[in-house]
Amino acid sequence: MTYKRKDGRKNDELRGPIVAKVGVVPNADGSAMFQIGKTIAIAAVYGPKKMHPQHSQNPEKGTLRCTYNMNSFSVEDRIRPGPSRRSTEISKITEWAIEPVLMIEEYANQVVDVHINIIQADAGTRCAGINAAAMALAHAGIPMKDMVSSVSVGKIDKTIVLDLDKFEDSEFEDGEGSTDIPITFTHEGKLTHIQLDGKISPEQLKEAIEMGKKSCDEIYEVQKKALKEIGK
Amino acid sequence: MTDRKIVIPGEVIATGDDYLPGEGTEKRKNEIVAIKFGLAEEFNKLIKVIPLSGSYQPRRGNTVIGKVDNITFNGWVIDLGTASSAFLPVSEVPKYVNRNDLEEVLDFGDMVVAQIFEINKRGIDLTIRSRGLGRLDQGIIIKVNPHKVPRVIGKEGSMISLIKDNTGCKITVGQNGLIWISGDKIEDELFAKKAILYIVENSIISGLTDEMNNWFKENSK
């Protein structure tokens, strides 16, 4: 018995449209927008600038500081604006996903600020945020070893599917229910971030990672195209 | 690889052991990889990436324009719009300075043209011991994208002297994107400002100096 997707996508098919735009915030040092399906994220990078408050300065190397925020109008029922337990977690997760490729060792006592705003949410917001942040950081001229691309893989009942939407992520409850696994890859194929809460067998997890790796290449091409367009 | 192309971080620019990695690039095995987003350029087998966007990165020898932020017992703290603060010590002022009255030379909020003479871990050190450096007393200051500054100056200063000739203004371009314009009349200064903003907006056109020649013919009264 296999799960049939509501929107008629294949199991390893990303949501459309995938749109990426660089330089959407003129006042920022670097910025980008990333849309996948109905999820839209905007990232703005400020810095490197002097770290404030002073007690958080690191004299050994530079710091990356991400702020993830979901706008109150991004979902159907208005969410309470301001930081929450969930948004602080995702901010930290985004930092960890991007930090391995960032070369900010030389920026002692300085900080690179990344502000991620979700203006429309339909599941997979942290992945869209990471994709937008990677482009914005490159646009800000921050030295990076590689680009990162992120996608969420999920298990619906017993089937591994790619890029869950809102229904598959939080409303599907038949059989084993749904499990969401956000994954981030560098273009080289190295894993920088994986999250999982739920039940999955090691074999199926391997399958999910493989599927994620393949689609991250697809997302990378979109990011690359968007960055090259702005330089013209 | 002959002409310039846009690269993104992690992209392989050239393969082969005879290439050398320059600024904004890194050598991994026998590949030259970009670590910054920008224009890749090859010169004598040396490959470098020129950034197209982002904040201003200070370099030794740059002429910059800044604002006096603070006065300490032996110098001034200058705000250049960079992450690390810049310091102008009293010893780098080419005239007698009364140490009890540093405000007389440069007061809070004064604009100053200076040159970067050293960058170290603690910050940027400035000097005004050269011609054309020092406090700015009149004129206007405009801000442009620091990456467009080379286009405003032009090849060997061709563009900036064109603007100076056509407007009769004195102009100093700071590498940090601040430009000082001073003329006899405010109209001249505003005209020079208009010309510079036009250059910044159309910086991608090739043969921009000729284009500006035409622009001046059309726009001058």
Side-chain angles (χ1 to χ4, degrees):
Chain A
M1 186 206 83
T2 46
Y3 168 72
K4 193 102 190 275
R5 299 185 92 167
K6 255 194 167 178
D7 49 4
R9 278 188 290 157
K10 282 182 227 139
N11 285 349
D12 61 347
E13 194 178 337
L14 289 166
R15 279 175 292 175
I18 309 176
V19 186
K21 238 188 222 166
V22 176
V24 290
V25 186
N27 278 350
D29 292 316
S31 61
M33 182 277 277
F34 187 85
Q35 172 178 13
I36 185 157
K38 284 188 216 149
T39 301
I40 307 175
I42 289 178
V45 174
Y46 296 85
K49 57 183 185 184
K50 185 147 258 178
M51 168 71 105
H52 277 293
Q54 209 166 17
H55 71 256
S56 348
Q57 282 184 0
N58 185 348
E60 283 190 330
K61 57 179 202 287
T63 317
L64 171 70
R65 187 165 58 188
C66 294
T67 321
Y68 168 98
N69 179 44
M70 229 159 109
N71 281 309
S72 52
F73 52 80
S74 61
V75 275
E76 267 169 45
D77 302 308
R78 180 190 133 99
I79 56 157
R80 214 179 117 93
S84 62
R85 189 202 62 80
R86 178 174 171 274
S87 72
T88 13
E89 179 202 312
I90 297 177
S91 302
K92 207 72 207 163
I93 286 291
T94 309
E95 276 170 28
W96 290 340
I98 298 171
E99 220 163 27
V101 296
L102 231 48
M103 302 166 86
I104 48 171
E105 294 83 7
E106 279 164 43
Y107 302 126
N109 293 330
Q110 292 170 32
V111 62
V112 176
D113 251 328
V114 183
H115 295 279
I116 299 162
N117 271 287
I118 308 296
I119 57 168
Q120 192 167 278
D122 186 53
T125 56
R126 72 192 69 190
C127 297
I130 291 169
N131 290 332
M135 285 191 288
L137 282 162
H139 183 226
I142 313 286
M144 290 159 91
K145 289 191 192 107
D146 208 348
M147 286 291 286
V148 287
S149 318
S150 184
V151 77
S152 81
V153 189
K155 191 181 65 133
I156 301 293
D157 193 10
K158 280 172 184 138
T159 321
I160 300 290
V161 293
L162 189 72
D163 196 19
L164 306 180
D165 63 21
K166 181 89 181 276
F167 167 79
E168 293 169 333
D169 183 49
S170 47
E171 281 152 44
F172 182 85
E173 273 173 353
D174 303 341
E176 286 180 15
S178 82
T179 307
D180 176 34
I181 315 164
I183 306 176
T184 306
F185 275 104
T186 70
H187 177 237
E188 258 192 327
K190 285 182 177 151
L191 194 77
T192 63
H193 147 240
I194 182 164
Q195 270 180 298
L196 162 75
D197 47 2
K199 260 189 195 167
I200 192 166
S201 68
E203 291 76 33
Q204 277 202 307
L205 183 60
K206 266 181 204 157
E207 192 191 322
I209 292 172
E210 272 315 307
M211 195 185 265
K213 200 171 181 175
K214 231 184 256 164
S215 65
C216 275
D217 287 342
E218 236 172 280
I219 291 167
Y220 172 78
E221 290 304 323
V222 177
Q223 290 173 309
K224 187 169 160 181
K225 205 174 145 226
L227 278 165
K228 296 213 166 183
E229 232 148 60
I230 190 82
K232 286 210 181 102
Chain B
M1 202 198 76
T2 46
D3 54 350
R4 303 199 283 184
K5 61 171 182 181
I6 299 154
V7 292
I8 64 166
E11 193 175 338
V12 177
I13 305 171
T15 328
D17 278 323
D18 40 347
Y19 288 107
L20 284 168
E23 215 160 302
T25 62
E26 198 178 65
K27 193 161 188 175
R28 285 182 208 152
K29 285 181 192 141
N30 64 346
E31 288 173 334
I32 307 290
V33 183
I35 56 171
K36 270 188 183 174
F37 166 65
L39 268 179
E41 196 181 53
E42 189 220 310
F43 185 72
N44 281 342
K45 297 279 169 204
L46 180 79
I47 295 173
K48 62 176 181 179
V49 173
I50 309 157
L52 289 170
S53 50
S55 60
Y56 165 67
Q57 293 296 312
R59 256 161 228 278
R60 206 163 92 199
N62 276 175
T63 303
V64 289
I65 298 177
K67 189 180 184 179
V68 177
D69 230 11
N70 196 9
I71 301 176
T72 67
F73 69 99
N74 62 348
W76 298 265
V77 178
I78 313 283
D79 174 23
L80 300 177
T82 49
S84 42
S85 57
F87 188 69
L88 173 66
V90 171
S91 58
E92 289 300 330
V93 178
K95 62 175 184 184
Y96 171 75
V97 181
N98 181 1
R99 277 186 180 258
N100 298 319
D101 204 7
L102 291 182
E103 290 92 335
E104 214 166 79
V105 184
L106 289 169
D107 205 350
F108 296 100
D110 280 356
M111 301 302 289
V112 60
V113 184
Q115 197 166 41
I116 297 174
F117 88 105
E118 208 195 329
I119 299 171
N120 51 35
K121 274 232 161 106
R122 258 163 275 120
I124 303 164
D125 283 333
L126 300 172
T127 177
I128 52 170
R129 268 177 192 276
S130 243
R131 229 171 63 92
L133 305 181
R135 187 172 73 191
L136 300 171
D137 292 317
Q138 79 267 76
I140 57 172
I141 285 175
I142 57 167
K143 195 173 182 346
V144 300
N145 183 339
H147 297 275
K148 305 276 161 101
V149 164
R151 298 312 299 263
V152 177
I153 295 172
K155 255 198 192 109
E156 278 147 14
S158 60
M159 184 69 82
I160 199 75
S161 43
L162 181 75
I163 305 170
K164 281 179 186 166
D165 292 345
N166 278 288
T167 60
C169 290
K170 283 191 266 175
I171 302 172
T172 301
V173 183
Q175 293 289 330
N176 57 342
L178 293 179
I179 300 172
W180 172 71
I181 307 164
S182 171
D184 295 332
K185 286 188 301 229
I186 184 80
E187 288 82 20
D188 293 342
E189 293 176 352
L190 291 174
F191 185 47
K193 176 181 173 182
K194 208 171 141 194
I196 291 168
L197 293 180
Y198 182 80
I199 294 168
V200 171
E201 233 167 72
N202 298 286
S203 60
I204 20 157
I205 302 172
S206 57
L208 192 58
T209 317
D210 298 335
E211 162 81 27
M212 279 317 282
N213 256 322
N214 294 333
W215 188 87
F216 276 119
K217 262 177 216 151
E218 275 168 33
N219 286 271
S220 53
K221 310 129 254 173

